[in-house]
Amino acid sequence: MSGTSGVGDGSDGRDRDGDGRARNARPRDGLGRPLPYGTAGVARQPEGIVRAPEQTVVEAQALLDAGKPFHAHEVFEDAWKSGPAEEQALWRALAQVAVGLTHAARGNLTGGVRLLRRGAGGVEEWARDSGRARPHGMDLGGVTRWARALADHVEATGDVVDAAARAPRLRG
């Protein structure tokens, strides 16, 4: 089967979107891992959606609760890229936390621990620098504690985690 899967020209063997940008059109599982073409996968998050911050939090929490932290990261990434400049570091850090959970659930424990800690540090730094501990109703201290505790657990036990069971509570 061709690598383009109807997405674009793909003359270089890569999937392309309508504008010619490289885009992997393979279906993905709930943790964002590519599946073979023709396999039923989980619906992907559309990219480039501009949401109100409250909508971002609600949508990301629903995805985290469903065991789809990779998809939650995409929602945070949209907020990071489309939101106000003073909040970009917050949304980027939350995306890192979601990717850390993704890696911990996929079995990439070293990467998961590293990203959970990096994201926790970014969230903590943003809260300190902005003076806002509860932007958009989120409990940033709770998110930071959760990410560090999960990183410590994964590092100490070597356990692959269940993403849905270990999902953070963004609003406490």
Side-chain angles (χ1 to χ4, degrees), residues 87-134:
E87 291 186 356
Q88 288 177 343
L90 170 62
W91 299 115
R92 181 178 58 241
L94 290 168
Q96 289 171 334
V97 166
V99 172
L101 177 56
T102 300
H103 283 292
R106 287 179 176 176
N108 174 3
L109 304 183
T110 300
V113 166
R114 186 174 296 131
L115 282 163
L116 285 163
R117 288 190 176 136
R118 182 181 306 150
V123 169
E124 182 176 60
E125 181 179 345
W126 187 89
R128 182 185 63 243
D129 292 351
S130 71
R132 296 170 62 196
R134 294 194 65 88

Side-chain angles (χ1 to χ4, degrees), residues 22-78:
R23 296 272 190 236
N24 190 324
R26 287 172 56 188
R28 294 186 177 261
D29 71 6
L31 292 174
R33 292 176 289 218
L35 298 169
Y37 287 106
T39 303
V42 172
R44 296 179 76 169
Q45 287 302 115
E47 294 181 37
I49 303 296
V50 177
R51 300 170 183 86
E54 292 75 14
Q55 183 184 5
T56 295
V57 174
V58 168
E59 193 168 331
Q61 186 67 69
L63 291 163
L64 290 164
D65 291 346
K68 298 176 183 176
F70 178 82
H71 298 79
H73 129 269
E74 292 178 330
V75 171
F76 288 135
E77 191 172 272
D78 284 341

